[in-house]
Amino acid sequence: MLTTGETIQIQLLGPIRAWRGGTEVVLGPPKQRAVLGLLASRAGDVVGIEHIIDAVWGGDVPQTAANGVHTYVAGLRRVLEPGRSRRGTSSVLASASGGYCLRIDPEAVDVTRFARSHAQARKARAGCGTEAALELYEEALTLWHGEAYAGIPGPFAAVERTRLQDLRLTAVEERASDMLEAGRHREVVADLSVAVAEEPLREQLRWLLMLALYRCDRQAHALAVYTETRRLLNQELGIEPSAELRHLHQDILAGRPVTACRAQSPAPVTSVDLADTVPPDTPRPAQLPPLVRGFVGRATELARLEEVLDVQLARHRASTPVAVVDGLAGVGKTALALELAYRLKDRFPDGQLFVDLGGTRLQGKPLTAFEAHAQLLRSLGVDDARIPEDPAGRVTLYRSLLHGRRMLVVLDDALSADQLRPLIPPGSSCVLATSRQRLSGLAIRDGAHLIRIDPLSDRESADLLSYLGGDRLRGEEAAVMSLARICGGLPLALRSAAEGLLATRDVPATAMVERYSDEGALLDRLNVEDDAAASLRTVFEASYQALPAEAARMFRYLGLHSGNPITVQVAATLMGTSRAQARHLLDLLVDNHLLEEVYRHHYRFHALIRLYAAECAQREPLADREQALTRLFEPGRGFARHRKVALEEDWMPHVTAS
């Protein structure tokens, strides 16, 4: 029992520490301090045992967790009330209603005092009491002794670290703004430099630092901060600096006076308590689209993906597992990702998020990470008014909301690694993504697992056709196998062909398959009116449009040549470029899954992409096509006898290497 003068003080803004009557007490192991940190943050309130378990262990709860909580509480009672008998009632850490309550004055916890001083500073600031506000900011910030909850395990401590750090930096920004208004420019440069080093992506700190340097007549240093900021934002988030930073940069370049200060430093949304940001009754997100009908094959890919994700979740709990399924258009990447997501969803009890990033959509632009964050934050229950306006603020809030939660995030049709990186949350969530590009940089830098899926085998293709065709194809094994080969194992083509057969029941199946055998009309037959996403030519076009200009030009020139394999020399000759440049462009086409490297520097088209490439070749002027084929068929190359035929068949030349 506490005697007079033996008040308890608790520090959370730094390593967790406690004093009893002015004497520091030894708080024990990290998890015991984690329990104290949680109870101190709710001083005077009862915290249930289940809540304590979730806060300390998160999703990795041992069977002994409840006993562990009782043990840690007993240990805390011994150091906070050393004179209490073993069976005596605790007056400090009381048992109540299935939980525990830390019965101390909330003002005895430094977080409470920080919040009070910060609120008072803002009030003084609003009343134009700059000097009074600065004193209160100083009082609030001197309570910090390092990272909040330093060294404390568990998801609650992790979220509190992020929340309190945002609050501290908001106070630093507001204090710096007032110091600049008071003309104390040189004093604030050092404080802002330290803060920027701690949070290099926080644009408001950099805005204030640039302004402070500029007002100290250090224009070159201010411009250097902007250059570094732009490089860092591009490198880390794939975005440009905010409009406010760009405007300040232009003002500094022009030598214009910058008077706005407080107006430029509003408290960001990320500084508010997460409990205030997200309403308590927000439903658990369950956004996975429905599975496709008739999913076949992919057993090897699914097993491999499950294995690599399970291994990473078990061994590296602080690292979010990321898997990217890549392959050519129409090969079934999204279907595979969703099949896996449904198998995994029970392992992620906090919900599933789904975003179509639109990396290869023909209409409209792909989502930026900034736009995707807004969609994800809304899905997590954040009101539009509370979504930060700056990219770094959205990243911070998104990561804070998902920290310590087991969430499955499915990101469909990613355009690049830079689009994906900011959307990867920390900790025990999992990201499944699809892309038509090979995102090697994401594997190298971020440890993502890249899984390429190839077209279905002839047997799997036939199984899919038989399932979709039902009685229309019953007993038509030869026709089914022939159509499976025509479609080249692409599920999108197979589904389109099956629908075409079902829509023409009056025509014998063998006759319909004969129609699909006409290469000149095949892409037209696989076209779906009024549904671009289901039309093979359209999805190929989207992949083509995503290519860099020179790679797209190489693709068009390769459409003049239907022989396999395509060598580097053939490609260089057709385009009239060097072998080194041709190899580089061929590799780009491979990375975008519009070409396949069958062995070293020997390439081939998928049969249906070859037809599309031949169509694209006609976009080149006739004179350029003639010159390309002249180069290819000049004496000594062995193709001269095919030149006339190739040029006469204007829509699709059939050029075969001898």
Side-chain angles (χ1 to χ4, degrees), residues 150-178:
I152 301 302
F156 172 78
V159 171
E160 282 294 279
R161 265 192 295 273
T162 301
R163 183 182 75 85
L164 292 168
Q165 173 73 343
D166 278 337
L167 279 173
R168 185 180 76 82
L169 291 174
T170 298
V172 168
E173 290 167 351
E174 292 167 352
R175 175 177 175 271
S177 178
D178 282 358

Side-chain angles (χ1 to χ4, degrees), residues 198-493:
E198 290 180 20
E199 291 287 338
L201 296 177
R202 195 168 176 114
E203 291 184 79
Q204 184 60 31
L205 287 172
R206 289 180 173 271
W207 190 95
L208 290 163
L209 178 57
M210 285 173 63
L211 180 58
L213 289 167
Y214 181 47
R215 289 186 175 177
C216 290
D217 297 323
R218 295 170 62 182
Q219 182 182 21
H221 290 91
L223 294 173
V225 171
Y226 180 82
T227 300
E228 180 195 16
T229 302
R230 187 179 183 193
R231 177 193 61 77
L232 191 65
L233 290 173
N234 267 284
Q235 180 179 313
E236 295 293 327
L237 302 177
I239 60 173
E240 289 295 317
S242 65
E244 289 81 4
L245 271 173
R246 295 198 302 273
H247 292 157
L248 178 59
H249 179 239
Q250 290 301 315
D251 287 340
I252 294 172
L253 285 172
R256 291 189 289 264
V258 182
T259 55
C261 190
R262 287 191 179 194
Q264 294 288 342
S265 57
V269 175
T270 52
S271 68
V272 300
D273 192 324
L274 295 181
D276 294 331
T277 305
V278 182
D281 57 348
T282 299
R284 182 178 70 98
Q287 299 182 341
L288 295 180
L291 293 172
V292 297
R293 183 171 67 93
F295 183 86
V296 300
R298 309 303 189 198
T300 301
E301 293 92 339
L302 286 167
R304 183 182 169 200
L305 280 165
E306 280 197 81
E307 180 183 5
V308 296
L309 295 176
D310 282 344
V311 167
Q312 185 167 343
L313 283 168
R315 295 181 181 176
H316 308 286
R317 293 177 184 139
S319 175
T320 302
V322 179
V324 183
V325 178
D326 62 70
L328 61 90
V331 80
K333 300 177 293 297
T334 302
L336 174 66
L338 289 176
E339 185 74 22
L340 179 63
Y342 273 92
R343 294 187 185 191
L344 296 177
K345 69 175 186 175
D346 290 342
R347 305 180 202 179
F348 298 93
D350 293 316
Q352 312 96 42
L353 297 167
F354 181 89
V355 179
D356 180 0
L357 296 175
T360 53
R361 63 167 61 131
L362 277 176
Q363 295 184 346
K365 295 181 179 180
L367 287 186
T368 64
F370 184 72
E371 293 165 334
H373 273 131
Q375 185 173 328
L376 287 163
L377 290 171
R378 291 187 193 102
S379 299
L380 292 167
V382 181
D383 186 83
D384 280 358
R386 291 184 175 272
I387 295 177
E389 290 298 324
D390 61 300
R394 291 189 181 187
V395 171
T396 300
L397 182 56
Y398 171 64
R399 290 176 177 171
S400 298
L401 289 172
L402 261 62
H403 203 297
R405 299 172 72 179
R406 295 179 67 84
M407 190 84 72
L408 183 60
V409 183
V410 181
L411 304 171
D412 193 34
D413 195 16
L415 180 64
S416 66
D418 288 337
Q419 186 190 33
L420 274 181
R421 279 194 184 100
L423 307 179
I424 299 174
S428 53
S429 291
C430 175
V431 174
L432 297 180
T434 70
S435 179
R436 294 187 193 176
Q437 298 186 36
R438 184 78 174 172
L439 304 182
S440 300
L442 201 70
I444 294 167
R445 179 176 159 187
D446 305 274
H449 304 282
L450 306 185
I451 306 291
R452 187 189 79 180
I453 61 170
D454 296 317
L456 298 172
S457 68
D458 287 349
R459 183 68 265 161
E460 291 168 336
S461 299
D463 289 345
L464 179 57
L465 282 172
S466 297
Y467 175 83
L468 296 172
D471 59 356
R472 175 78 163 99
L473 292 176
R474 189 168 294 118
E476 301 282 357
E477 287 80 5
V480 168
M481 188 57 71
S482 179
L483 187 56
R485 294 192 181 104
I486 290 169
C487 292
L490 291 189
L492 184 61

Side-chain angles (χ1 to χ4, degrees), residues 599-617:
Y599 54 97
R600 185 171 175 79
H601 303 322
H602 288 69
Y603 307 83
R604 71 180 175 195
F605 280 127
H606 181 278
L608 295 178
I609 291 182
R610 175 179 60 79
L611 300 180
Y612 174 72
E615 291 184 0
C616 288

Side-chain angles (χ1 to χ4, degrees), residues 11 34 40 59 74 76 79 123 138 140 165 194 232 323 333 372 414 423 463 470 518 545 563 594 604 649 654:
Q11 171 184 294
L76 291 171
V79 297
K123 186 175 180 180
E138 192 70 27
Q165 173 73 343
V194 171
L232 191 65
K333 300 177 293 297
L423 307 179
D463 289 345
D518 178 7
Q545 291 292 345
L594 287 169
R604 71 180 175 195
E649 296 192 25
H654 293 275

Side-chain angles (χ1 to χ4, degrees), residues 7-29:
T7 57
I8 290 176
Q9 299 287 324
I10 295 177
Q11 171 184 294
L12 302 178
L13 301 177
I16 291 185
R17 302 169 68 186
W19 292 264
R20 179 177 175 275
T23 301
E24 186 169 3
V25 298
V26 179
L27 292 175

